[in-house]
CSV table of all heavy atoms in Angstrom, one decimal:
chain,number,residue,atom,x,y,z
A,1,ILE,N,18.6,16.4,-6.4
A,1,ILE,CA,17.4,16.3,-5.6
A,1,ILE,C,17.8,16.0,-4.1
A,1,ILE,O,18.4,14.9,-3.9
A,1,ILE,CB,16.5,15.3,-6.1
A,1,ILE,CG1,16.1,15.6,-7.6
A,1,ILE,CG2,15.2,15.3,-5.3
A,1,ILE,CD1,15.2,14.6,-8.3
A,2,PHE,N,17.5,16.9,-3.2
A,2,PHE,CA,17.9,16.6,-1.8
A,2,PHE,C,16.9,15.7,-1.2
A,2,PHE,O,15.8,15.7,-1.5
A,2,PHE,CB,18.0,18.0,-1.1
A,2,PHE,CG,19.1,18.9,-1.5
A,2,PHE,CD1,18.8,19.8,-2.5
A,2,PHE,CD2,20.3,18.8,-1.0
A,2,PHE,CE1,19.8,20.7,-2.9
A,2,PHE,CE2,21.4,19.6,-1.4
A,2,PHE,CZ,21.1,20.6,-2.4
A,3,SER,N,17.4,15.0,-0.1
A,3,SER,CA,16.6,14.0,0.5
A,3,SER,C,15.4,14.6,1.2
A,3,SER,O,14.3,13.8,1.2
A,3,SER,CB,17.4,13.2,1.6
A,3,SER,OG,18.5,12.5,1.0
A,4,SER,N,15.4,15.8,1.6
A,4,SER,CA,14.3,16.4,2.3
A,4,SER,C,13.2,16.9,1.3
A,4,SER,O,12.1,17.2,1.7
A,4,SER,CB,14.7,17.5,3.1
A,4,SER,OG,15.4,18.6,2.3
A,5,TYR,N,13.5,17.0,0.0
A,5,TYR,CA,12.6,17.5,-1.0
A,5,TYR,C,11.5,16.5,-1.2
A,5,TYR,O,11.5,15.3,-0.9
A,5,TYR,CB,13.3,17.8,-2.3
A,5,TYR,CG,14.1,19.0,-2.3
A,5,TYR,CD1,14.4,19.7,-1.2
A,5,TYR,CD2,14.6,19.5,-3.5
A,5,TYR,CE1,15.2,20.9,-1.2
A,5,TYR,CE2,15.4,20.7,-3.5
A,5,TYR,CZ,15.7,21.3,-2.4
A,5,TYR,OH,16.5,22.5,-2.4
A,6,PHE,N,10.3,17.0,-1.8
A,6,PHE,CA,9.2,16.1,-2.1
A,6,PHE,C,9.0,16.1,-3.7
A,6,PHE,O,9.2,17.1,-4.4
A,6,PHE,CB,7.9,16.7,-1.5
A,6,PHE,CG,8.0,16.6,0.0
A,6,PHE,CD1,8.5,17.6,0.8
A,6,PHE,CD2,7.4,15.5,0.7
A,6,PHE,CE1,8.6,17.5,2.1
A,6,PHE,CE2,7.5,15.4,2.1
A,6,PHE,CZ,8.1,16.4,2.8
A,7,MET,N,8.7,14.9,-4.2
A,7,MET,CA,8.3,14.8,-5.6
A,7,MET,C,6.9,14.1,-5.7
A,7,MET,O,6.6,13.3,-4.8
A,7,MET,CB,9.3,14.0,-6.4
A,7,MET,CG,10.7,14.7,-6.5
A,7,MET,SD,11.8,13.8,-7.7
A,7,MET,CE,10.9,14.2,-9.2
A,8,GLY,N,6.1,14.5,-6.6
A,8,GLY,CA,4.8,14.0,-6.7
A,8,GLY,C,4.1,14.2,-8.1
A,8,GLY,O,4.8,14.5,-9.0
A,9,TRP,N,2.8,14.1,-8.1
A,9,TRP,CA,2.0,14.1,-9.3
A,9,TRP,C,0.7,14.9,-9.0
A,9,TRP,O,0.1,14.8,-8.0
A,9,TRP,CB,1.6,12.7,-9.7
A,9,TRP,CG,2.8,11.8,-10.1
A,9,TRP,CD1,3.5,11.1,-9.2
A,9,TRP,CD2,3.3,11.7,-11.4
A,9,TRP,NE1,4.5,10.4,-10.0
A,9,TRP,CE2,4.4,10.8,-11.3
A,9,TRP,CE3,3.0,12.2,-12.6
A,9,TRP,CZ2,5.2,10.4,-12.4
A,9,TRP,CZ3,3.8,11.8,-13.7
A,9,TRP,CH2,4.8,11.0,-13.6
A,10,PHE,N,0.4,15.7,-10.0
A,10,PHE,CA,-0.9,16.4,-10.1
A,10,PHE,C,-1.6,15.9,-11.4
A,10,PHE,O,-0.9,15.3,-12.2
A,10,PHE,CB,-0.8,17.9,-10.0
A,10,PHE,CG,-0.5,18.5,-8.7
A,10,PHE,CD1,0.6,18.4,-8.1
A,10,PHE,CD2,-1.5,19.2,-8.1
A,10,PHE,CE1,0.9,18.9,-6.8
A,10,PHE,CE2,-1.3,19.9,-6.9
A,10,PHE,CZ,-0.1,19.7,-6.2
A,11,ARG,N,-2.9,16.2,-11.5
A,11,ARG,CA,-3.6,15.8,-12.7
A,11,ARG,C,-4.7,16.9,-13.0
A,11,ARG,O,-5.1,17.6,-12.1
A,11,ARG,CB,-4.2,14.5,-12.7
A,11,ARG,CG,-5.4,14.3,-11.7
A,11,ARG,CD,-5.8,12.8,-11.7
A,11,ARG,NE,-7.0,12.6,-10.8
A,11,ARG,CZ,-7.5,11.5,-10.5
A,11,ARG,NH1,-7.0,10.4,-11.0
A,11,ARG,NH2,-8.5,11.4,-9.7
A,12,GLN,N,-5.0,17.1,-14.3
A,12,GLN,CA,-6.1,18.0,-14.7
A,12,GLN,C,-6.9,17.4,-15.8
A,12,GLN,O,-6.5,17.1,-16.9
A,12,GLN,CB,-5.4,19.3,-15.3
A,12,GLN,CG,-6.5,20.4,-15.5
A,12,GLN,CD,-5.8,21.8,-15.7
A,12,GLN,OE1,-4.6,21.9,-16.0
A,12,GLN,NE2,-6.6,22.8,-15.5
A,13,ALA,N,-8.2,17.1,-15.4
A,13,ALA,CA,-9.2,16.5,-16.3
A,13,ALA,C,-9.8,17.6,-17.2
A,13,ALA,O,-9.8,18.8,-16.7
A,13,ALA,CB,-10.2,15.8,-15.5
A,14,PRO,N,-10.4,17.3,-18.3
A,14,PRO,CA,-11.1,18.3,-19.1
A,14,PRO,C,-12.1,19.1,-18.4
A,14,PRO,O,-13.0,18.4,-17.7
A,14,PRO,CB,-11.7,17.5,-20.3
A,14,PRO,CG,-10.8,16.2,-20.3
A,14,PRO,CD,-10.4,16.0,-18.9
A,15,GLY,N,-12.1,20.4,-18.4
A,15,GLY,CA,-13.0,21.2,-17.8
A,15,GLY,C,-12.9,21.3,-16.2
A,15,GLY,O,-13.8,22.0,-15.6
A,16,LYS,N,-11.9,20.8,-15.7
A,16,LYS,CA,-11.7,20.8,-14.2
A,16,LYS,C,-10.4,21.4,-13.8
A,16,LYS,O,-9.5,21.6,-14.6
A,16,LYS,CB,-11.8,19.4,-13.6
A,16,LYS,CG,-13.1,18.7,-13.8
A,16,LYS,CD,-13.1,17.4,-13.2
A,16,LYS,CE,-13.2,17.6,-11.6
A,16,LYS,NZ,-13.4,16.3,-10.9
A,17,GLU,N,-10.3,21.8,-12.5
A,17,GLU,CA,-9.0,22.5,-12.1
A,17,GLU,C,-7.9,21.3,-11.8
A,17,GLU,O,-8.3,20.2,-11.6
A,17,GLU,CB,-9.3,23.2,-10.7
A,17,GLU,CG,-10.2,24.4,-10.9
A,17,GLU,CD,-10.4,25.2,-9.6
A,17,GLU,OE1,-10.0,24.7,-8.5
A,17,GLU,OE2,-11.0,26.3,-9.6
A,18,ARG,N,-6.8,21.8,-11.8
A,18,ARG,CA,-5.7,20.9,-11.5
A,18,ARG,C,-5.7,20.4,-10.0
A,18,ARG,O,-5.9,21.3,-9.2
A,18,ARG,CB,-4.3,21.6,-11.8
A,18,ARG,CG,-3.1,20.7,-11.8
A,18,ARG,CD,-1.9,21.4,-12.4
A,18,ARG,NE,-2.1,21.8,-13.8
A,18,ARG,CZ,-1.2,22.3,-14.6
A,18,ARG,NH1,0.1,22.5,-14.1
A,18,ARG,NH2,-1.5,22.6,-15.8
A,19,GLU,N,-5.5,19.1,-9.8
A,19,GLU,CA,-5.7,18.6,-8.5
A,19,GLU,C,-4.5,17.7,-8.0
A,19,GLU,O,-3.9,17.1,-8.9
A,19,GLU,CB,-7.0,17.8,-8.3
A,19,GLU,CG,-7.1,16.6,-9.2
A,19,GLU,CD,-8.4,15.8,-9.0
A,19,GLU,OE1,-9.2,16.2,-8.2
A,19,GLU,OE2,-8.5,14.7,-9.6
A,20,PHE,N,-4.2,17.6,-6.8
A,20,PHE,CA,-3.2,16.8,-6.2
A,20,PHE,C,-3.6,15.4,-6.4
A,20,PHE,O,-4.7,14.9,-6.2
A,20,PHE,CB,-3.1,17.2,-4.7
A,20,PHE,CG,-2.2,16.2,-4.0
A,20,PHE,CD1,-0.9,16.2,-4.0
A,20,PHE,CD2,-2.9,15.3,-3.1
A,20,PHE,CE1,-0.1,15.3,-3.3
A,20,PHE,CE2,-2.1,14.4,-2.3
A,20,PHE,CZ,-0.7,14.4,-2.5
A,21,VAL,N,-2.5,14.5,-6.6
A,21,VAL,CA,-2.7,13.0,-6.8
A,21,VAL,C,-1.9,12.3,-5.7
A,21,VAL,O,-2.5,11.5,-4.9
A,21,VAL,CB,-2.3,12.6,-8.2
A,21,VAL,CG1,-2.4,11.0,-8.2
A,21,VAL,CG2,-3.2,13.2,-9.2
A,22,ALA,N,-0.6,12.5,-5.7
A,22,ALA,CA,0.3,11.8,-4.7
A,22,ALA,C,1.6,12.5,-4.6
A,22,ALA,O,2.0,13.3,-5.5
A,22,ALA,CB,0.6,10.4,-5.2
A,23,ILE,N,2.3,12.3,-3.5
A,23,ILE,CA,3.6,12.9,-3.2
A,23,ILE,C,4.4,12.1,-2.3
A,23,ILE,O,3.9,11.3,-1.5
A,23,ILE,CB,3.4,14.4,-2.6
A,23,ILE,CG1,4.7,15.2,-2.8
A,23,ILE,CG2,3.0,14.2,-1.2
A,23,ILE,CD1,4.5,16.7,-2.6
A,24,ILE,N,5.8,12.1,-2.4
A,24,ILE,CA,6.6,11.3,-1.6
A,24,ILE,C,7.9,12.1,-1.4
A,24,ILE,O,8.4,12.8,-2.2
A,24,ILE,CB,7.0,9.9,-2.3
A,24,ILE,CG1,7.7,9.1,-1.3
A,24,ILE,CG2,7.7,10.1,-3.6
A,24,ILE,CD1,7.9,7.6,-1.8
A,25,GLN,N,8.5,12.0,-0.2
A,25,GLN,CA,9.8,12.6,0.1
A,25,GLN,C,10.8,11.8,-0.6
A,25,GLN,O,10.8,10.6,-0.8
A,25,GLN,CB,10.1,12.6,1.6
A,25,GLN,CG,11.1,13.6,2.1
A,25,GLN,CD,11.1,13.8,3.6
A,25,GLN,OE1,10.5,13.0,4.3
A,25,GLN,NE2,11.6,15.0,4.0
A,26,TRP,N,11.9,12.5,-1.1
A,26,TRP,CA,12.9,11.9,-1.9
A,26,TRP,C,13.6,10.8,-1.1
A,26,TRP,O,14.1,9.8,-1.7
A,26,TRP,CB,14.0,12.9,-2.4
A,26,TRP,CG,14.9,12.4,-3.4
A,26,TRP,CD1,16.3,12.3,-3.4
A,26,TRP,CD2,14.6,11.8,-4.7
A,26,TRP,NE1,16.7,11.8,-4.5
A,26,TRP,CE2,15.7,11.5,-5.4
A,26,TRP,CE3,13.3,11.6,-5.4
A,26,TRP,CZ2,15.8,10.8,-6.6
A,26,TRP,CZ3,13.3,11.0,-6.6
A,26,TRP,CH2,14.6,10.6,-7.2
A,27,SER,N,13.7,10.9,0.2
A,27,SER,CA,14.2,9.8,1.0
A,27,SER,C,13.4,8.6,1.0
A,27,SER,O,13.8,7.5,1.5
A,27,SER,CB,14.4,10.3,2.5
A,27,SER,OG,13.1,10.6,3.0
A,28,GLY,N,12.1,8.7,0.6
A,28,GLY,CA,11.2,7.6,0.5
A,28,GLY,C,10.1,7.6,1.6
A,28,GLY,O,9.2,6.8,1.6
A,29,GLY,N,10.2,8.6,2.5
A,29,GLY,CA,9.2,8.7,3.5
A,29,GLY,C,8.0,9.5,3.2
A,29,GLY,O,7.9,10.2,2.2
A,30,ASN,N,7.0,9.4,4.0
A,30,ASN,CA,5.7,10.1,4.0
A,30,ASN,C,5.0,10.1,2.7
A,30,ASN,O,4.6,11.1,2.1
A,30,ASN,CB,6.0,11.6,4.4
A,30,ASN,CG,6.5,11.7,5.8
A,30,ASN,OD1,6.0,11.0,6.7
A,30,ASN,ND2,7.5,12.6,6.0
A,31,PRO,N,4.8,8.9,2.1
A,31,PRO,CA,3.9,8.9,0.9
A,31,PRO,C,2.5,9.3,1.2
A,31,PRO,O,2.0,8.8,2.2
A,31,PRO,CB,4.0,7.4,0.4
A,31,PRO,CG,4.3,6.7,1.6
A,31,PRO,CD,5.2,7.6,2.4
A,32,THR,N,1.9,10.2,0.4
A,32,THR,CA,0.6,10.6,0.7
A,32,THR,C,-0.2,10.6,-0.6
A,32,THR,O,0.2,11.0,-1.7
A,32,THR,CB,0.6,12.1,1.2
A,32,THR,OG1,1.4,12.1,2.4
A,32,THR,CG2,-0.8,12.6,1.6
A,33,TYR,N,-1.5,10.3,-0.5
A,33,TYR,CA,-2.4,10.1,-1.7
A,33,TYR,C,-3.7,10.9,-1.5
A,33,TYR,O,-4.2,11.0,-0.4
A,33,TYR,CB,-2.7,8.7,-2.0
A,33,TYR,CG,-1.5,7.8,-2.1
A,33,TYR,CD1,-0.9,7.2,-1.1
A,33,TYR,CD2,-1.0,7.6,-3.4
A,33,TYR,CE1,0.2,6.4,-1.2
A,33,TYR,CE2,0.2,6.8,-3.5
A,33,TYR,CZ,0.8,6.2,-2.5
A,33,TYR,OH,1.9,5.5,-2.7
A,34,ALA,N,-4.2,11.4,-2.6
A,34,ALA,CA,-5.6,11.9,-2.6
A,34,ALA,C,-6.6,10.8,-2.4
A,34,ALA,O,-6.4,9.7,-2.9
A,34,ALA,CB,-5.8,12.7,-3.9
A,35,ASP,N,-7.8,11.1,-1.8
A,35,ASP,CA,-8.7,10.1,-1.5
A,35,ASP,C,-9.2,9.3,-2.8
A,35,ASP,O,-9.3,8.1,-2.7
A,35,ASP,CB,-9.9,10.7,-0.8
A,35,ASP,CG,-9.6,11.0,0.6
A,35,ASP,OD1,-8.6,10.5,1.2
A,35,ASP,OD2,-10.3,11.8,1.2
A,36,PRO,N,-9.4,10.0,-3.9
A,36,PRO,CA,-9.9,9.2,-5.1
A,36,PRO,C,-9.0,8.1,-5.6
A,36,PRO,O,-9.4,7.2,-6.3
A,36,PRO,CB,-10.2,10.3,-6.2
A,36,PRO,CG,-10.4,11.5,-5.4
A,36,PRO,CD,-9.4,11.4,-4.2
A,37,VAL,N,-7.7,8.2,-5.3
A,37,VAL,CA,-6.8,7.2,-5.8
A,37,VAL,C,-6.2,6.3,-4.7
A,37,VAL,O,-5.5,5.4,-5.1
A,37,VAL,CB,-5.6,7.9,-6.6
A,37,VAL,CG1,-6.2,8.9,-7.6
A,37,VAL,CG2,-4.7,8.6,-5.6
A,38,LYS,N,-6.5,6.5,-3.5
A,38,LYS,CA,-6.0,5.8,-2.4
A,38,LYS,C,-6.3,4.3,-2.5
A,38,LYS,O,-7.5,4.0,-2.8
A,38,LYS,CB,-6.5,6.4,-1.1
A,38,LYS,CG,-5.7,5.9,0.2
A,38,LYS,CD,-6.1,6.8,1.4
A,38,LYS,CE,-5.8,8.3,1.2
A,38,LYS,NZ,-6.2,9.0,2.3
A,39,GLY,N,-5.4,3.4,-2.4
A,39,GLY,CA,-5.6,2.0,-2.5
A,39,GLY,C,-5.4,1.5,-3.9
A,39,GLY,O,-5.4,0.3,-4.1
A,40,ARG,N,-5.4,2.4,-4.9
A,40,ARG,CA,-5.2,2.0,-6.3
A,40,ARG,C,-3.9,2.5,-6.9
A,40,ARG,O,-3.3,1.7,-7.7
A,40,ARG,CB,-6.4,2.5,-7.2
A,40,ARG,CG,-7.7,2.0,-6.8
A,40,ARG,CD,-8.8,2.5,-7.8
A,40,ARG,NE,-8.9,3.9,-7.8
A,40,ARG,CZ,-8.7,4.7,-8.9
A,40,ARG,NH1,-8.4,4.1,-10.1
A,40,ARG,NH2,-8.9,6.0,-8.8
A,41,PHE,N,-3.4,3.6,-6.5
A,41,PHE,CA,-2.1,4.1,-7.1
A,41,PHE,C,-1.1,4.1,-6.0
A,41,PHE,O,-1.3,4.1,-4.8
A,41,PHE,CB,-2.4,5.7,-7.4
A,41,PHE,CG,-3.2,6.0,-8.6
A,41,PHE,CD1,-4.0,5.0,-9.1
A,41,PHE,CD2,-3.3,7.3,-9.1
A,41,PHE,CE1,-4.8,5.3,-10.2
A,41,PHE,CE2,-4.1,7.6,-10.1
A,41,PHE,CZ,-4.9,6.6,-10.7
A,42,THR,N,0.2,3.9,-6.5
A,42,THR,CA,1.4,3.8,-5.7
A,42,THR,C,2.5,4.6,-6.2
A,42,THR,O,2.8,4.5,-7.4
A,42,THR,CB,1.8,2.3,-5.5
A,42,THR,OG1,0.9,1.5,-5.0
A,42,THR,CG2,3.1,2.3,-4.6
A,43,ILE,N,3.1,5.5,-5.4
A,43,ILE,CA,4.1,6.4,-5.8
A,43,ILE,C,5.4,5.8,-5.3
A,43,ILE,O,5.5,5.3,-4.1
A,43,ILE,CB,4.0,7.8,-5.4
A,43,ILE,CG1,5.0,8.8,-6.0
A,43,ILE,CG2,3.9,8.0,-3.9
A,43,ILE,CD1,4.7,10.3,-5.7
A,44,SER,N,6.5,5.9,-6.1
A,44,SER,CA,7.8,5.4,-5.7
A,44,SER,C,8.9,6.1,-6.4
A,44,SER,O,8.6,6.9,-7.3
A,44,SER,CB,7.9,3.8,-5.9
A,44,SER,OG,7.8,3.6,-7.3
A,45,ARG,N,10.2,5.9,-6.0
A,45,ARG,CA,11.2,6.6,-6.7
A,45,ARG,C,12.5,5.7,-6.8
A,45,ARG,O,12.7,4.9,-5.9
A,45,ARG,CB,11.6,7.9,-6.0
A,45,ARG,CG,12.6,7.8,-4.9
A,45,ARG,CD,11.9,7.4,-3.6
A,45,ARG,NE,12.9,7.4,-2.5
A,45,ARG,CZ,13.7,6.4,-2.1
A,45,ARG,NH1,13.6,5.2,-2.8
A,45,ARG,NH2,14.5,6.5,-1.1
A,46,ASP,N,13.3,6.0,-7.8
A,46,ASP,CA,14.6,5.3,-8.0
A,46,ASP,C,15.7,6.4,-7.9
A,46,ASP,O,15.8,7.1,-8.9
A,46,ASP,CB,14.6,4.5,-9.3
A,46,ASP,CG,15.9,3.7,-9.5
A,46,ASP,OD1,16.9,4.0,-8.8
A,46,ASP,OD2,15.8,2.8,-10.2
A,47,THR,N,16.4,6.5,-6.8
A,47,THR,CA,17.4,7.6,-6.6
A,47,THR,C,18.5,7.4,-7.7
A,47,THR,O,19.1,8.4,-8.1
A,47,THR,CB,17.9,7.5,-5.3
A,47,THR,OG1,18.5,6.3,-4.9
A,47,THR,CG2,16.8,7.9,-4.3
């Protein structure tokens, strides 16, 4: 996994389309969250 790549999470609820949840650059930079989970969810990585 290269430092410039991004890893993250999507989710799909019953009867709904797949939606973005959170993403982070492998270097640890630019964590980004969808509004419904902002302040409650935290994304991190262990290289």
Side-chain angles (χ1 to χ4, degrees):
I1 304 175
F2 293 93
S3 297
S4 61
Y5 286 10
F6 295 85
M7 295 191 69
W9 298 87
F10 282 72
R11 67 185 182 185
Q12 188 165 22
K16 300 186 68 175
E17 295 183 350
R18 193 166 297 187
E19 65 178 4
F20 167 77
V21 176
I23 198 165
I24 190 171
Q25 199 165 21
W26 192 238
S27 64
N30 299 316
T32 304
Y33 303 90
D35 286 341
V37 308
K38 198 169 297 181
R40 298 187 297 119
F41 291 11
T42 302
I43 188 170
S44 62
R45 87 280 184 270
D46 185 335
T47 57

